[in-house]
Amino acid sequence: MNTRSLFRVCNKLIGPSIACTPCRHVGTYKTVKRPDPSTLKMPAPGTAPKLMEIIKEKIRLKGPLSVAEYMHIVITNPTEGYYMKKETIGESGDFITSPEISQLFGEIVGIWFYAETQKMGMGPGRPLQIVELGPGKGTLMSDVLRVLHRLGYKPKDLSIHLVEISDTMQTVQAHQLCASHKGCDVDSPHYCEGETTSGIKVYWYYDLKKVPCNFSWYIAHEFFDVLPIHKFEKTEEGWRELLIDIDENEKLYYRISAKETNNVNNLIRPPLDGGDRTELEAFHKHKVVNPLETPGASDLTADVDFSQLRVAASMTPGDENYALVVGPVTQRDFLRRTQAEARLKVLIDHAKSDEQKETLQAAYEMLIDPEKMGERFKFMAFYPSAMAAILEKYPPIGFSNLEKETK
Ligand code: SAH
Protein backbone atom coordinates (compact mmCIF):
# COMPACT_ATOMS: atom_id res chain seq x y z
CA MET A 1 0.00 0.00 0.00
CA ASN A 2 1.17 3.52 -0.75
CA THR A 3 2.41 5.03 2.55
CA ARG A 4 0.19 8.06 2.24
CA SER A 5 -2.86 5.82 2.02
CA LEU A 6 -1.43 3.82 4.90
CA PHE A 7 -1.15 7.01 6.94
CA ARG A 8 -4.78 7.83 6.20
CA VAL A 9 -5.89 4.33 7.16
CA CYS A 10 -3.96 4.55 10.44
CA ASN A 11 -5.48 7.90 11.21
CA LYS A 12 -8.94 6.40 10.73
CA LEU A 13 -8.06 3.17 12.47
CA ILE A 14 -7.11 4.78 15.73
CA GLY A 15 -10.54 6.47 15.54
CA PRO A 16 -12.76 7.03 18.52
CA SER A 17 -11.43 4.49 20.97
CA ILE A 18 -7.86 5.68 20.86
CA ALA A 19 -8.21 8.80 22.90
CA CYS A 20 -7.87 7.01 26.16
CA THR A 21 -5.00 7.10 28.60
CA PRO A 22 -2.88 3.98 27.95
CA CYS A 23 -4.21 0.90 29.63
CA ARG A 24 -6.41 2.76 32.02
CA HIS A 25 -9.52 3.04 29.88
CA VAL A 26 -8.82 0.63 27.06
CA GLY A 27 -11.80 0.40 24.75
CA THR A 28 -13.57 3.46 26.08
CA TYR A 29 -13.44 6.96 24.74
CA LYS A 30 -11.81 9.62 26.79
CA THR A 31 -10.39 12.97 25.70
CA VAL A 32 -7.01 13.56 27.28
CA LYS A 33 -7.10 16.69 29.39
CA ARG A 34 -5.09 19.66 28.14
CA PRO A 35 -5.09 23.24 29.46
CA ASP A 36 -7.34 25.93 28.10
CA PRO A 37 -5.20 27.80 25.52
CA SER A 38 -6.74 31.15 26.51
CA THR A 39 -5.08 30.99 29.95
CA LEU A 40 -1.57 30.03 28.81
CA LYS A 41 1.35 32.13 30.01
CA MET A 42 4.53 33.32 28.36
CA PRO A 43 7.88 33.50 30.20
CA ALA A 44 7.97 36.23 32.85
CA PRO A 45 11.07 37.92 34.29
CA GLY A 46 12.06 36.64 37.71
CA THR A 47 14.40 37.86 40.41
CA ALA A 48 18.14 37.34 40.21
CA PRO A 49 19.04 34.09 41.98
CA LYS A 50 22.35 32.94 43.42
CA LEU A 51 23.31 31.64 40.01
CA MET A 52 24.56 35.12 39.12
CA GLU A 53 27.19 34.84 41.83
CA ILE A 54 28.26 31.39 40.60
CA ILE A 55 28.71 32.79 37.09
CA LYS A 56 30.63 35.87 38.21
CA GLU A 57 32.93 33.78 40.37
CA LYS A 58 33.67 31.57 37.40
CA ILE A 59 34.51 34.58 35.22
CA ARG A 60 36.75 36.06 37.94
CA LEU A 61 38.60 32.74 38.22
CA LYS A 62 39.01 31.73 34.61
CA GLY A 63 38.14 34.74 32.48
CA PRO A 64 35.16 35.43 30.18
CA LEU A 65 32.73 32.58 29.46
CA SER A 66 31.59 31.41 26.06
CA VAL A 67 27.84 31.70 25.47
CA ALA A 68 27.76 27.89 25.54
CA GLU A 69 29.37 27.73 29.00
CA TYR A 70 26.96 30.34 30.26
CA MET A 71 23.93 28.48 28.87
CA HIS A 72 25.17 25.21 30.29
CA ILE A 73 25.36 26.65 33.82
CA VAL A 74 22.04 28.43 33.56
CA ILE A 75 20.16 25.42 32.25
CA THR A 76 21.74 22.57 34.14
CA ASN A 77 23.11 23.87 37.45
CA PRO A 78 21.95 21.19 39.94
CA THR A 79 20.21 23.53 42.38
CA GLU A 80 19.47 26.77 40.53
CA GLY A 81 19.49 25.62 36.89
CA TYR A 82 16.33 26.41 35.00
CA TYR A 83 15.20 22.84 34.35
CA MET A 84 16.09 21.68 37.85
CA LYS A 85 13.16 23.59 39.28
CA LYS A 86 9.64 22.24 39.31
CA GLU A 87 6.90 23.05 36.83
CA THR A 88 8.73 24.99 34.16
CA ILE A 89 6.55 23.53 31.41
CA GLY A 90 2.78 23.56 31.32
CA GLU A 91 -0.15 25.56 32.56
CA SER A 92 1.43 26.48 35.88
CA GLY A 93 4.96 26.87 34.48
CA ASP A 94 6.75 29.48 32.39
CA PHE A 95 5.99 28.15 28.94
CA ILE A 96 3.86 25.59 27.17
CA THR A 97 4.79 23.29 24.32
CA SER A 98 2.66 21.80 21.53
CA PRO A 99 2.21 18.31 23.06
CA GLU A 100 0.98 19.96 26.26
CA ILE A 101 -1.63 21.86 24.30
CA SER A 102 -3.27 19.06 22.34
CA GLN A 103 -3.13 15.26 22.34
CA LEU A 104 -3.38 15.55 18.54
CA PHE A 105 0.25 16.53 18.37
CA GLY A 106 1.73 13.35 19.88
CA GLU A 107 -0.81 11.17 18.12
CA ILE A 108 0.12 12.54 14.71
CA VAL A 109 3.82 12.16 15.53
CA GLY A 110 3.18 8.50 16.49
CA ILE A 111 1.28 7.74 13.29
CA TRP A 112 3.92 9.52 11.22
CA PHE A 113 6.73 7.38 12.65
CA TYR A 114 4.65 4.25 12.19
CA ALA A 115 3.94 5.01 8.54
CA GLU A 116 7.55 5.95 7.77
CA THR A 117 8.79 2.75 9.44
CA GLN A 118 6.51 0.63 7.28
CA LYS A 119 8.52 1.78 4.27
CA MET A 120 11.49 -0.11 5.70
CA GLY A 121 9.48 -3.24 6.48
CA MET A 122 10.10 -2.66 10.19
CA GLY A 123 6.56 -2.53 11.57
CA PRO A 124 4.96 -4.19 14.62
CA GLY A 125 6.49 -7.52 15.60
CA ARG A 126 10.06 -6.21 15.23
CA PRO A 127 11.93 -4.81 18.24
CA LEU A 128 11.77 -1.03 18.36
CA GLN A 129 13.56 1.47 20.58
CA ILE A 130 11.98 4.87 20.92
CA VAL A 131 14.53 7.46 21.97
CA GLU A 132 13.42 10.90 23.09
CA LEU A 133 15.78 13.79 23.80
CA GLY A 134 14.54 16.20 26.48
CA PRO A 135 11.10 14.62 27.06
CA GLY A 136 9.74 17.43 29.30
CA LYS A 137 6.71 16.13 31.18
CA GLY A 138 6.55 12.89 29.17
CA THR A 139 3.28 13.92 27.54
CA LEU A 140 4.41 13.50 23.93
CA MET A 141 5.74 10.00 24.64
CA SER A 142 2.56 9.01 26.41
CA ASP A 143 0.46 10.14 23.41
CA VAL A 144 2.79 8.28 21.00
CA LEU A 145 2.55 5.07 23.07
CA ARG A 146 -1.22 5.19 23.11
CA VAL A 147 -1.25 5.31 19.29
CA LEU A 148 1.29 2.49 18.93
CA HIS A 149 -0.74 0.28 21.21
CA ARG A 150 -3.72 0.75 18.89
CA LEU A 151 -1.61 0.16 15.80
CA GLY A 152 -0.55 -3.27 17.00
CA TYR A 153 2.80 -2.78 18.76
CA LYS A 154 3.20 -5.18 21.68
CA PRO A 155 4.84 -3.97 24.91
CA LYS A 156 7.45 -6.75 24.69
CA ASP A 157 8.73 -5.37 21.35
CA LEU A 158 9.05 -1.80 22.59
CA SER A 159 11.56 -0.05 24.83
CA ILE A 160 11.69 3.63 25.70
CA HIS A 161 15.00 5.48 26.10
CA LEU A 162 14.84 9.00 27.50
CA VAL A 163 17.80 11.36 27.48
CA GLU A 164 17.15 13.81 30.30
CA ILE A 165 19.63 15.92 32.18
CA SER A 166 17.32 17.17 34.92
CA ASP A 167 16.49 14.84 37.82
CA THR A 168 13.43 16.94 38.53
CA MET A 169 12.06 16.47 35.00
CA GLN A 170 13.00 12.78 35.13
CA THR A 171 10.75 12.32 38.17
CA VAL A 172 7.89 14.10 36.39
CA GLN A 173 8.37 11.79 33.34
CA ALA A 174 8.48 8.68 35.53
CA HIS A 175 5.17 9.63 37.15
CA GLN A 176 3.60 10.27 33.78
CA LEU A 177 4.81 7.09 32.06
CA CYS A 178 5.60 4.42 34.64
CA ALA A 179 3.79 2.23 37.14
CA SER A 180 7.12 1.76 38.95
CA HIS A 181 10.67 3.11 38.60
CA LYS A 182 13.97 3.00 40.46
CA GLY A 183 17.44 4.54 40.34
CA CYS A 184 20.37 2.47 39.00
CA ASP A 185 24.00 2.20 40.13
CA VAL A 186 26.74 4.29 38.65
CA ASP A 187 28.12 1.44 36.52
CA SER A 188 24.87 1.19 34.60
CA PRO A 189 24.62 3.07 31.27
CA HIS A 190 21.24 4.42 32.41
CA TYR A 191 20.67 6.22 35.71
CA CYS A 192 17.07 5.17 36.22
CA GLU A 193 14.71 2.52 34.88
CA GLY A 194 10.99 1.88 35.10
CA GLU A 195 8.07 0.08 33.54
CA THR A 196 4.77 1.32 32.13
CA THR A 197 1.49 -0.20 33.29
CA SER A 198 1.45 -2.33 30.13
CA GLY A 199 5.00 -3.59 30.79
CA ILE A 200 7.12 -1.46 28.42
CA LYS A 201 10.61 -0.88 29.85
CA VAL A 202 11.70 2.75 30.23
CA TYR A 203 15.34 3.85 30.70
CA TRP A 204 16.84 7.27 31.46
CA TYR A 205 20.29 8.49 30.37
CA TYR A 206 22.27 11.67 30.90
CA ASP A 207 24.13 11.08 27.65
CA LEU A 208 22.78 10.06 24.24
CA LYS A 209 25.96 8.05 23.56
CA LYS A 210 24.94 5.55 26.24
CA VAL A 211 21.68 4.60 24.47
CA PRO A 212 22.04 1.10 22.92
CA CYS A 213 22.70 1.18 19.20
CA ASN A 214 19.63 -0.63 17.81
CA PHE A 215 16.87 0.16 15.36
CA SER A 216 15.35 3.32 16.84
CA TRP A 217 13.09 6.27 16.32
CA TYR A 218 14.51 9.52 17.64
CA ILE A 219 12.26 12.31 18.80
CA ALA A 220 13.58 15.74 19.75
CA HIS A 221 10.89 18.30 20.38
CA GLU A 222 11.84 21.77 21.61
CA PHE A 223 15.23 20.27 22.38
CA PHE A 224 17.79 21.84 20.05
CA ASP A 225 16.87 25.28 21.36
CA VAL A 226 18.01 24.42 24.89
CA LEU A 227 21.41 23.10 23.84
CA PRO A 228 24.32 25.41 24.62
CA ILE A 229 25.41 27.48 21.61
CA HIS A 230 28.50 29.45 20.65
CA LYS A 231 28.22 32.86 19.01
CA PHE A 232 30.70 34.09 16.44
CA GLU A 233 31.27 37.32 14.54
CA LYS A 234 33.44 37.98 11.50
CA THR A 235 35.78 40.91 12.15
CA GLU A 236 38.48 42.43 9.95
CA GLU A 237 40.94 40.02 11.55
CA GLY A 238 38.72 36.99 10.89
CA TRP A 239 36.17 35.04 12.93
CA ARG A 240 35.98 35.87 16.63
CA GLU A 241 33.86 34.43 19.43
CA LEU A 242 31.38 36.45 21.50
CA LEU A 243 32.14 36.03 25.20
CA ILE A 244 30.40 36.99 28.43
CA ASP A 245 32.39 39.16 30.86
CA ILE A 246 31.79 41.45 33.87
CA ASP A 247 31.84 45.24 33.32
CA GLU A 248 32.97 47.95 35.78
CA ASN A 249 29.44 48.10 37.27
CA GLU A 250 29.56 44.37 38.05
CA LYS A 251 27.07 43.60 35.27
CA LEU A 252 27.44 40.90 32.67
CA TYR A 253 28.00 42.02 29.07
CA TYR A 254 29.04 40.59 25.70
CA ARG A 255 32.49 41.25 24.29
CA ILE A 256 34.36 39.96 21.26
CA SER A 257 37.37 37.74 21.91
CA ALA A 258 40.64 39.50 21.15
CA LYS A 259 42.09 36.40 19.50
CA GLU A 260 40.72 33.33 17.78
CA THR A 261 39.39 30.96 20.44
CA ASN A 262 39.73 27.19 20.09
CA ASN A 263 36.03 27.13 19.36
CA VAL A 264 36.57 29.29 16.29
CA ASN A 265 39.07 26.76 14.96
CA ASN A 266 37.05 23.69 15.90
CA LEU A 267 33.54 24.79 15.02
CA ILE A 268 33.79 27.13 12.06
CA ARG A 269 34.74 24.97 9.13
CA PRO A 270 33.27 24.26 5.75
CA PRO A 271 30.45 24.15 4.85
CA LEU A 272 29.38 26.37 7.79
CA ASP A 273 32.06 28.90 6.91
CA GLY A 274 30.80 29.37 3.34
CA GLY A 275 29.22 32.52 1.88
CA ASP A 276 29.39 36.15 2.96
CA ARG A 277 27.98 35.80 6.44
CA THR A 278 29.49 38.07 9.04
CA GLU A 279 27.63 36.62 11.99
CA LEU A 280 27.37 32.93 12.77
CA GLU A 281 25.40 31.28 15.46
CA ALA A 282 23.84 27.88 15.25
CA PHE A 283 20.84 29.65 16.80
CA HIS A 284 19.63 33.21 17.42
CA LYS A 285 18.72 34.39 20.84
CA HIS A 286 15.10 35.31 21.22
CA LYS A 287 14.03 36.42 24.65
CA VAL A 288 11.58 38.71 26.37
CA VAL A 289 14.03 39.27 29.25
CA ASN A 290 17.72 40.12 29.07
CA PRO A 291 19.39 36.70 29.19
CA LEU A 292 22.36 38.11 31.11
CA GLU A 293 20.30 39.66 33.91
CA THR A 294 18.42 36.85 35.62
CA PRO A 295 20.25 33.58 34.98
CA GLY A 296 18.21 30.54 36.03
CA ALA A 297 15.04 32.51 36.78
CA SER A 298 13.65 32.35 33.29
CA ASP A 299 13.99 30.08 30.32
CA LEU A 300 17.09 30.53 28.20
CA THR A 301 16.55 29.27 24.70
CA ALA A 302 17.88 29.95 21.26
CA ASP A 303 16.00 30.12 17.97
CA VAL A 304 17.27 27.16 16.02
CA ASP A 305 18.62 28.03 12.60
CA PHE A 306 17.25 24.92 10.92
CA SER A 307 19.02 25.56 7.65
CA GLN A 308 22.38 25.34 9.46
CA LEU A 309 21.24 22.17 11.19
CA ARG A 310 20.47 20.79 7.79
CA VAL A 311 23.92 21.69 6.47
CA ALA A 312 25.60 20.14 9.52
CA ALA A 313 23.73 16.82 9.22
CA SER A 314 23.80 16.46 5.45
CA MET A 315 26.67 15.04 3.51
CA THR A 316 29.97 16.83 4.00
CA PRO A 317 32.93 16.05 1.76
CA GLY A 318 34.35 12.61 2.53
CA ASP A 319 31.40 11.53 4.69
CA GLU A 320 30.02 8.07 3.98
CA ASN A 321 27.38 7.91 6.65
CA TYR A 322 25.40 11.10 6.24
CA ALA A 323 21.77 11.95 6.94
CA LEU A 324 19.06 12.63 4.41
CA VAL A 325 17.35 15.72 5.69
CA VAL A 326 13.81 16.87 4.89
CA GLY A 327 12.30 20.14 6.01
CA PRO A 328 12.17 22.48 7.73
CA VAL A 329 8.44 22.92 7.19
CA THR A 330 6.18 24.91 9.48
CA GLN A 331 4.17 23.14 12.15
CA ARG A 332 1.06 24.43 10.40
CA ASP A 333 2.00 22.81 7.07
CA PHE A 334 3.13 19.57 8.67
CA LEU A 335 -0.05 19.10 10.72
CA ARG A 336 -2.33 20.00 7.84
CA ARG A 337 -0.55 17.64 5.47
CA THR A 338 -0.72 14.81 8.00
CA GLN A 339 -4.48 15.24 8.29
CA ALA A 340 -4.54 16.48 11.86
CA GLU A 341 -7.86 18.10 11.04
CA ALA A 342 -9.47 14.71 10.35
CA ARG A 343 -8.23 13.52 13.72
CA LEU A 344 -9.56 16.68 15.36
CA LYS A 345 -12.96 15.96 13.88
CA VAL A 346 -13.01 12.48 15.40
CA LEU A 347 -12.11 13.90 18.81
CA ILE A 348 -14.71 16.66 18.55
CA ASP A 349 -17.41 14.21 17.43
CA HIS A 350 -16.78 12.18 20.57
CA ALA A 351 -16.35 15.05 23.01
CA LYS A 352 -18.71 14.87 25.96
CA SER A 353 -19.59 18.56 26.20
CA ASP A 354 -19.65 21.71 24.10
CA GLU A 355 -16.98 23.10 26.36
CA GLN A 356 -14.72 20.15 25.61
CA LYS A 357 -15.36 20.61 21.87
CA GLU A 358 -14.40 24.26 22.10
CA THR A 359 -11.20 23.48 24.00
CA LEU A 360 -10.17 20.89 21.40
CA GLN A 361 -10.84 23.31 18.57
CA ALA A 362 -9.05 26.19 20.30
CA ALA A 363 -6.03 23.98 21.02
CA TYR A 364 -5.81 22.95 17.38
CA GLU A 365 -6.07 26.57 16.26
CA MET A 366 -3.24 27.46 18.61
CA LEU A 367 -1.03 24.79 17.03
CA ILE A 368 -1.66 25.86 13.45
CA ASP A 369 -2.43 29.59 13.62
CA PRO A 370 0.45 31.41 11.89
CA GLU A 371 0.23 34.15 14.53
CA LYS A 372 0.53 31.64 17.37
CA MET A 373 2.54 28.43 17.01
CA GLY A 374 1.79 27.58 13.39
CA GLU A 375 4.76 29.27 11.73
CA ARG A 376 7.18 29.78 14.58
CA PHE A 377 7.63 26.05 15.14
CA LYS A 378 9.18 23.83 12.50
CA PHE A 379 9.44 20.16 11.65
CA MET A 380 12.49 18.42 10.25
CA ALA A 381 13.24 14.75 9.70
CA PHE A 382 16.58 12.97 9.40
CA TYR A 383 16.78 9.60 7.67
CA PRO A 384 19.76 7.26 7.28
CA SER A 385 21.30 7.68 3.83
CA ALA A 386 20.60 4.00 3.16
CA MET A 387 16.95 4.97 2.72
CA ALA A 388 17.55 7.16 -0.33
CA ALA A 389 15.93 4.81 -2.88
CA ILE A 390 12.92 4.11 -0.63
CA LEU A 391 12.31 7.81 -0.04
CA GLU A 392 12.57 8.49 -3.73
CA LYS A 393 9.72 6.04 -4.26
CA TYR A 394 7.71 7.01 -1.16
CA PRO A 395 8.49 10.64 -0.27
CA PRO A 396 8.39 11.59 3.43
CA ILE A 397 4.86 12.35 4.56
CA GLY A 398 4.13 15.89 5.72
CA PHE A 399 7.09 17.54 4.04
CA SER A 400 5.64 18.25 0.64
CA ASN A 401 2.25 19.18 -0.65
CA LEU A 402 -0.08 16.22 -0.32
CA GLU A 403 -2.82 17.64 -2.55
CA LYS A 404 -0.47 18.11 -5.46
CA GLU A 405 1.13 14.69 -5.16
CA THR A 406 -2.01 12.62 -4.84
CA LYS A 407 -3.60 14.12 -7.96
N1 SAH B 1 10.11 17.91 24.63
C1 SAH B 1 9.34 18.50 25.69
C2 SAH B 1 10.14 19.41 26.62
C3 SAH B 1 11.00 20.47 26.01
S1 SAH B 1 11.82 21.44 27.25
C4 SAH B 1 8.12 19.19 25.16
O1 SAH B 1 8.04 19.43 23.97
O2 SAH B 1 7.21 19.49 25.94
C5 SAH B 1 13.47 20.80 27.20
C6 SAH B 1 13.68 19.46 27.90
O3 SAH B 1 15.06 19.09 27.69
C7 SAH B 1 13.47 19.44 29.40
O4 SAH B 1 12.96 18.18 29.76
C8 SAH B 1 14.91 19.64 29.94
O5 SAH B 1 15.07 19.20 31.27
C9 SAH B 1 15.70 18.82 28.95
N2 SAH B 1 17.12 19.19 28.76
C10 SAH B 1 17.67 20.43 28.74
N3 SAH B 1 18.98 20.37 28.43
C11 SAH B 1 19.27 19.06 28.25
C12 SAH B 1 20.45 18.33 27.88
N4 SAH B 1 21.61 18.96 27.67
N5 SAH B 1 20.38 16.98 27.78
C13 SAH B 1 19.20 16.33 27.99
N6 SAH B 1 18.05 16.96 28.34
C14 SAH B 1 18.08 18.29 28.45
Side-chain angles (χ1 to χ4, degrees):
M1 192 191 310
N2 170 315
T3 46
R4 286 187 198 285
S5 326
L6 176 74
F7 192 91
R8 271 194 291 272
V9 171
C10 292
N11 209 353
K12 285 208 190 102
L13 202 106
I14 61 163
S17 59
I18 176 59
C20 58
T21 311
C23 306
R24 270 187 262 151
H25 305 271
V26 175
T28 61
Y29 172 78
K30 181 174 177 288
T31 301
V32 181
K33 190 178 177 302
R34 291 292 191 275
D36 175 357
S38 60
T39 62
L40 303 177
K41 282 184 270 155
M42 291 301 284
T47 51
K50 287 176 285 176
L51 209 51
M52 182 62 106
E53 272 323 301
I54 300 173
I55 288 162
K56 285 185 180 168
E57 197 54 29
K58 223 176 170 121
I59 296 175
R60 285 185 203 109
L61 284 171
K62 81 173 260 294
L65 298 177
S66 68
V67 175
E69 287 169 311
Y70 178 78
M71 276 186 90
H72 183 75
I73 299 171
V74 171
I75 291 172
T76 66
N77 179 274
T79 53
E80 298 295 332
Y82 183 71
Y83 283 103
M84 306 300 150
K85 297 175 188 169
K86 283 224 180 326
E87 292 297 335
T88 51
I89 310 170
E91 214 172 356
S92 53
D94 287 342
F95 65 97
I96 185 116
T97 58
S98 297
E100 300 295 331
I101 287 173
S102 171
Q103 68 190 78
L104 260 179
F105 188 88
E107 290 173 356
I108 292 290
V109 168
I111 304 171
W112 183 88
F113 268 108
Y114 174 86
E116 293 299 297
T117 304
Q118 297 294 307
K119 295 176 181 176
M120 295 174 239
M122 294 290 289
R126 307 280 194 115
L128 170 66
Q129 287 190 163
I130 309 178
V131 184
E132 187 175 2
L133 315 181
K137 295 172 93 170
T139 311
L140 174 56
M141 184 58 79
S142 129
D143 291 338
V144 166
L145 287 181
R146 191 174 57 247
V147 164
L148 295 191
H149 172 67
R150 292 290 301 181
L151 293 174
Y153 274 95
K154 298 275 174 277
K156 70 171 174 50
D157 294 329
L158 292 173
S159 59
I160 309 299
H161 303 261
L162 305 175
V163 183
E164 174 57 69
I165 207 164
S166 153
D167 293 340
T168 306
M169 293 313 292
Q170 186 275 327
T171 307
V172 174
Q173 292 150 20
H175 285 135
Q176 165 77 286
L177 295 166
C178 295
S180 64
H181 65 104
K182 61 173 179 11
C184 302
D185 26 286
V186 279
D187 301 337
S188 165
H190 46 271
Y191 64 90
C192 189
E193 64 184 48
E195 203 169 307
T196 67
T197 42
S198 61
I200 303 171
K201 294 263 191 289
V202 185
Y203 305 94
W204 280 267
Y205 309 79
Y206 290 122
D207 185 352
L208 172 61
K209 292 194 202 94
K210 299 271 169 69
V211 175
C213 217
N214 295 315
F215 181 79
S216 309
W217 298 351
Y218 286 84
I219 304 174
H221 185 252
E222 293 228 22
F223 179 72
F224 289 112
D225 60 342
V226 297
L227 292 183
I229 55 155
H230 292 272
K231 285 184 81 173
F232 300 104
E233 228 172 270
K234 199 173 208 169
T235 67
E236 286 179 358
E237 284 91 49
W239 284 106
R240 293 289 181 268
E241 183 165 6
L242 272 173
L243 301 173
I244 294 167
D245 206 349
I246 309 173
D247 70 12
E248 63 273 17
N249 301 318
E250 285 291 302
K251 290 204 154 176
L252 298 183
Y253 78 108
Y254 290 112
R255 51 171 274 202
I256 294 184
S257 64
K259 294 191 188 140
E260 262 184 9
T261 55
N262 283 343
N263 296 322
V264 170
N265 293 322
N266 294 336
L267 299 175
I268 304 188
R269 20 160 227 230
L272 290 180
D273 192 19
D276 313 322
R277 299 182 64 156
T278 54
E279 200 181 276
L280 246 193
E281 43 179 352
F283 322 114
H284 292 276
K285 225 178 295 54
H286 176 92
K287 279 301 304 157
V288 290
V289 292
N290 180 345
L292 300 188
E293 263 172 22
T294 54
S298 50
D299 191 16
L300 186 59
T301 67
D303 246 2
V304 180
D305 183 343
F306 281 105
S307 55
Q308 288 298 331
L309 207 55
R310 187 188 174 102
V311 170
S314 301
M315 183 159 55
T316 50
D319 254 0
E320 292 289 311
N321 189 16
Y322 61 96
L324 294 169
V325 185
V326 288
V329 297
T330 63
Q331 173 160 298
R332 173 187 175 81
D333 284 347
F334 182 84
L335 290 178
R336 284 159 59 117
R337 288 169 184 162
T338 50
Q339 323 234 323
E341 208 150 338
R343 175 96 201 102
L344 173 70
K345 193 172 174 316
V346 174
L347 292 175
I348 288 183
D349 285 350
H350 291 83
K352 291 209 177 79
S353 63
D354 285 348
E355 197 192 337
Q356 210 174 49
K357 286 182 194 205
E358 277 162 28
T359 306
L360 284 164
Q361 183 70 43
Y364 177 70
E365 297 298 330
M366 180 134 182
L367 294 186
I368 63 151
D369 186 339
E371 302 288 314
K372 294 177 179 156
M373 297 170 106
E375 298 210 328
R376 220 179 111 202
F377 292 86
K378 310 276 195 320
F379 273 74
M380 264 180 117
F382 300 77
Y383 295 82
S385 53
M387 277 189 73
I390 298 176
L391 293 177
E392 182 85 9
K393 201 163 164 198
Y394 306 112
I397 297 165
F399 290 89
S400 59
N401 208 327
L402 186 62
E403 284 76 24
K404 263 191 213 149
E405 282 176 19
T406 47
K407 263 185 195 160

